[in-house]
């Protein structure tokens, strides 16, 4: 099975795993602070529900999505937080039901999308598999914040390959969104997967490269941990700078996390 097909099932599995963590929370747990400043567990799930909803618009009603994108462009530094605050006011069970319904509808729409179709997004337009990959990446990243807040240990899975791939493919975007020129030379990225397997991206023999555990790389590109707290290494000045600015998500440059703020690696 190709990753273009597998990602739909992996997105569902990633969501189901997070659902197991939050489905029996007490109301006090929904108010628990996560490592993202100002965001509780409720904010995290509200964000996932909202992003699923706008992704569904992108797939089913590009015109309505364009209105949302224009609204976001007018407040690039605040529209994500505003949507999370608005959704987080609902009681936990209501919020959970909205997230479940939304992700089910989005999954169905992505699965029914015509091959080769591309849909608008906050970054470049995406195919259905690419949009599913982005949703999986966000679900895993925000799920990590929730797991850290609740003291839940998560085992890394092979689904991280989707997060790693989008992190590698977003290399140039991380430069451009900061007004910087991406390096012309591609990097080699060699990551060790959860079972000791090697995940390789980029040309063999590249003069600059990145190595490390896949989990740590995924924490880095989703900005869930500072580079100083991770076993990701770079050879070459450009590769080193990339690790300082890398982001796997669309939108303005992320603020990242401070050194020493990593609560756990999900293991």
């Amino acid at each position: 099975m190709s990753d273009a097909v597998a990602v739909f099932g992996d997105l569902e599995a990633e969501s189901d795993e997070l659902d197991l963590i939050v489905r029996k929370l007490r109301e006090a747990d929904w108010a628990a602070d996560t490592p993202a400043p100002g965001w509780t567990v409720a904010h995290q799930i509200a964000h996932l529900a909202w992003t699923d909803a706008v992704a569904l618009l992108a797939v089913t009603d590009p015109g309505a999505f364009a209105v949302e994108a224009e609204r976001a462009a007018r407040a690039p530094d605040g529209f994500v937080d505003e949507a999370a605050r608005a959704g987080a006011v609902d009681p936990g069970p209501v919020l959970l039901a909205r997230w479940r319904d939304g992700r089910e509808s989005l999954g169905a729409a992505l699965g029914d999308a015509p091959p080769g179709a591309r849909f608008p997004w906050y970054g470049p337009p995406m195919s259905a598999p690419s949009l599913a990959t982005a949703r999986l990446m966000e679900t895993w990243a925000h799920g990590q914040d929730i797991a850290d807040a609740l003291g839940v240990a998560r085992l890394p899975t092979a689904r991280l390959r989707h997060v790693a791939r989008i992190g590698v493919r977003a290399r140039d975007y991380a430069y451009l969104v900061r007004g910087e020129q991406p390096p012309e030379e591609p990097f080699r990225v060699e990551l060790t997967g959860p079972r000791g397997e090697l995940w390789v991206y980029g040309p063999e023999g590249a003069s600059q490269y990145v190595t490390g555990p896949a989990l740590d790389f995924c924490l880095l590109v989703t900005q869930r941990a500072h580079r100083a707290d991770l076993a990701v290494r770079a050879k070459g000045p450009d590769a080193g700078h990339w690790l300082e600015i890398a982001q796997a998500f669309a939108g303005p440059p992320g603020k990242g996390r401070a050194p020493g703020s990593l609560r756990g690696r999900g293991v």
Side-chain angles (χ1 to χ4, degrees):
M1 181 182 294
S2 70
D3 268 10
V5 175
V7 69
F8 296 118
D10 285 347
L11 171 57
E12 183 177 2
E14 192 67 40
S15 299
D16 287 346
E17 183 177 285
L18 178 55
D19 198 305
L20 286 173
I21 296 175
V22 300
R23 64 175 50 179
K24 294 184 179 180
L25 293 183
R26 301 167 300 172
E27 200 59 40
D29 295 325
W30 285 97
D33 290 329
T34 69
W39 280 40
T40 64
V41 171
H43 285 81
Q44 300 284 352
I45 295 297
H47 172 72
L48 291 177
W50 170 78
T51 316
D52 285 343
V54 293
L56 183 62
L57 276 184
V59 175
T60 62
D61 192 344
F65 175 80
V67 174
E68 289 294 324
E70 184 178 347
R71 183 180 296 117
R74 292 197 296 266
D77 296 324
F79 77 100
V80 170
D81 287 334
E82 180 181 342
R85 283 194 299 269
V89 300
D90 287 331
V94 174
L95 182 53
L96 180 56
R98 186 166 72 249
W99 175 49
R100 286 172 172 168
D101 290 344
R103 74 183 199 240
E104 181 178 351
S105 297
L106 176 60
L110 291 173
D112 291 341
R118 300 186 71 81
F119 306 103
W121 196 238
Y122 295 106
M126 289 188 174
S127 66
S130 293
L131 191 52
T133 301
R135 298 308 309 125
L136 189 154
M137 177 270 296
E138 281 229 60
T139 301
W140 178 81
H142 290 281
Q144 187 63 49
D145 286 342
I146 291 170
D148 286 344
L150 301 174
V152 175
R154 301 194 305 173
L155 291 175
T157 73
R159 296 191 296 271
L160 287 177
R161 71 189 186 280
H162 302 295
V163 182
R165 181 182 295 111
I166 200 171
V168 171
R169 295 185 65 181
R171 186 200 76 162
D172 288 1
Y173 180 81
Y175 286 89
L176 294 172
V177 78
R178 289 165 174 78
E180 301 180 20
Q181 184 64 32
E184 294 184 5
E185 177 190 7
F187 302 151
R188 176 82 161 182
V189 179
E190 298 183 354
L191 306 174
T192 304
R195 296 184 178 180
E197 69 276 29
L198 190 63
W199 300 346
V200 178
Y201 312 89
E204 186 175 359
S207 63
Q208 300 195 59
Y209 55 84
V210 169
T211 60
L215 174 60
D216 285 28
F217 180 79
C218 291
L219 289 168
L220 181 94
V221 298
T222 58
Q223 297 188 359
R224 261 51 196 179
H226 192 275
R227 178 185 177 187
D229 297 324
L230 301 169
V232 182
R233 302 291 179 261
K235 179 183 178 182
D238 292 335
H241 178 57
W242 176 45
L243 295 188
E244 299 292 335
I245 65 171
Q247 66 179 66
F249 48 89
K255 298 178 181 179
R257 302 281 164 83
S261 61
L262 180 61
R263 299 188 188 182
R265 299 188 181 187
V267 296

